[in-house]
Structure formats: C-alpha cells, structure tokens
C-alpha cells in the first residue's frame, strides 16, 4: 500500500474475506488438497450468516470512519482557477498553427485523423524546421516558471481549503434540501 493516503480507513471486508481469514488454517490442516473457496461454495446460508454479520459490522465501521475521513472521493486537490496555466509544448504550438489548415483542406475529417496527420507532419520535419517552435516553447516555459514563482510567493490559495470546496459544500446542502422537499410532498 505504498500509494494513496495513509490516513484513509482500511477498506471493508466481505463475508468471504472473513471466512478466509478465520477458517484458512483450520481448513488447510483438515483438507490440505481442497481449496478454501470450495468449502465456501458448499456452505449453507446458516453457516454463512456468521460471516455475513461480521461483514455488516465491518461495513458499519468503514462507513463511520469514511464519514470522519476528510478528502472527497478521488482525493484530488482542487485547482486554483487563478493559478498560471502550463505552457504548450513545441509540438502543440506546431499543431495549433497547422490544425486549421488541415481542417480547411480536408473538410469532415475526424479529430483522430487530424491528430495523425499532425503527428506525421511533425515527425517529417527536420531539426531546423522544428527550431522556431522549440524556441517559442522555451520562452513560454520561462515565462510560466516566473509566473509560478510569483504566484507561490503570494501564497493566497491552498488547494485543500480553496473556494471550490466551499462551493461544493453549498451545492451538497442544496441537494439535501431538494431531497427533503421532494420527500415531504
């Protein structure tokens, strides 16, 4: 579990997972040649109910812990709309210049076909033909890095506490109110 948030609650376990956890060693000692899941398939509903109850209790635990857990699903950090935008690469600068020309000469061409043509054209250019795009991309990257440094020095936005989270909370409250109104009718 090297990836992800270490504070995130451990996932809920299924009834089968509880069965495997509690019965694996016992089952292997008695029947070393029979796989554990074979017994699970032949168990009666009454025998499985003990593990179903354990799974339900674990689901309650998981739901409680997830309720207290901070980040929204996905855990993505909200992006500041005022942050400087990353500059395009030399290839994308080339594409922005030639895309309209390709579309004009080939009306009705699909987006994928336009991309293929642009890729072929870029690959067929020699280094001296690519140089103006590379130079322009380098200048834009320098400007971007300067803008990012200025932006970070101001330090006005924290992705986890930014305006997007407040707006989302308000919209969720509105959704809950709509549900209450529709139920009360």
């Amino acid at each position: 579990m090297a990836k992800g948030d270490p504070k995130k609650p451990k996932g809920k376990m299924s009834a089968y997972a509880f069965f495997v956890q509690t019965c694996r060693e016992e089952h292997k000692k008695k029947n070393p040649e029979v796989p554990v899941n074979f017994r699970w398939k032949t168990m009666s509903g009454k025998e499985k109910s003990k593990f179903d109850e354990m799974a339900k209790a674990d689901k309650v635990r998981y739901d409680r812990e997830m309720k207290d857990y901070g980040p929204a699903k996905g855990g993505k950090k909200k992006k500041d709309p005022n942050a400087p935008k990353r500059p395009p690469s030399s290839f994308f600068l080339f594409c922005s210049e030639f895309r309209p020309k390709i579309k004009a000469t080939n009306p009705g061409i699909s987006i994928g076909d336009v991309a293929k043509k642009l890729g072929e054209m870029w690959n067929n250019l020699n280094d001296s033909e690519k140089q103006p795009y590379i130079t322009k991309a380098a200048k834009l990257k320098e400007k971007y890095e300067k803008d990012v440094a200025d932006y970070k020095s101001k330090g006005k936005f924290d992705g986890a506490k930014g305006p997007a989270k407040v707006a989302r909370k308000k919209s969720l409250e509105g959704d809950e109110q709509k549900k209450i109104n529709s139920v009360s009718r």
Side-chain angles (χ1 to χ4, degrees):
M1 296 200 72
K3 228 178 180 182
D5 186 356
K7 296 177 186 173
K8 185 174 181 181
K10 188 177 84 171
K12 56 188 174 214
M13 287 177 54
S14 67
Y16 177 70
F18 277 111
F19 163 73
V20 170
Q21 188 179 42
T22 55
C23 298
R24 172 171 268 155
E25 291 304 316
E26 176 186 328
H27 182 76
K28 281 192 173 188
K29 286 176 186 173
K30 291 179 182 176
N31 306 313
E33 70 285 344
V34 180
V36 177
N37 65 355
F38 181 76
R39 182 166 173 241
W40 175 257
K41 291 177 184 175
T42 59
M43 285 176 69
S44 69
K46 188 176 181 182
E47 290 174 307
K48 288 182 180 180
S49 66
K50 170 185 159 189
F51 301 109
D52 288 332
E53 290 301 316
M54 293 169 78
K56 285 178 187 173
D58 193 51
K59 182 182 181 337
V60 169
R61 178 223 30 107
Y62 175 77
D63 291 342
R64 183 184 64 246
E65 288 177 5
M66 284 304 287
K67 185 178 177 185
D68 297 335
Y69 178 64
K73 282 188 177 178
K76 281 193 174 181
K77 193 169 138 181
K78 300 297 179 192
K79 193 171 184 182
D80 182 8
N82 300 323
K85 292 198 179 356
R86 188 170 279 165
S89 67
S90 53
F91 172 68
F92 281 103
L93 291 170
F94 170 81
C95 289
S96 64
E97 184 179 322
F98 284 94
R99 184 175 286 112
K101 295 175 185 174
I102 291 174
K103 285 184 176 182
T105 57
N106 302 302
I109 190 170
S110 73
I111 296 169
D113 289 337
V114 170
K116 284 180 189 175
K117 279 191 180 279
L118 287 167
E120 289 170 7
M121 289 171 64
W122 178 255
N123 287 332
N124 291 333
L125 293 179
N126 61 37
D127 290 341
S128 63
E129 293 171 321
K130 290 181 181 180
Q131 195 56 49
Y133 303 104
I134 294 170
T135 305
K136 188 174 181 182
K139 287 179 184 174
L140 289 172
K141 186 175 181 183
E142 281 179 32
K143 182 184 181 312
Y144 169 74
E145 288 171 351
K146 198 182 301 180
D147 291 346
V148 167
D150 291 343
Y151 174 77
K152 285 184 178 179
S153 69
K154 292 177 186 172
K156 290 184 179 177
F157 184 81
D158 178 11
K161 299 175 185 168
K165 190 167 188 170
V166 173
R168 180 166 184 239
K169 185 177 179 184
K170 285 182 181 176
S171 73
L172 287 174
E173 289 170 358
D175 290 345
E176 289 171 3
Q177 189 61 43
K178 286 177 189 173
K179 287 179 186 174
I180 292 168
N181 290 343
S182 66
V183 171
S184 64
R185 289 183 194 168

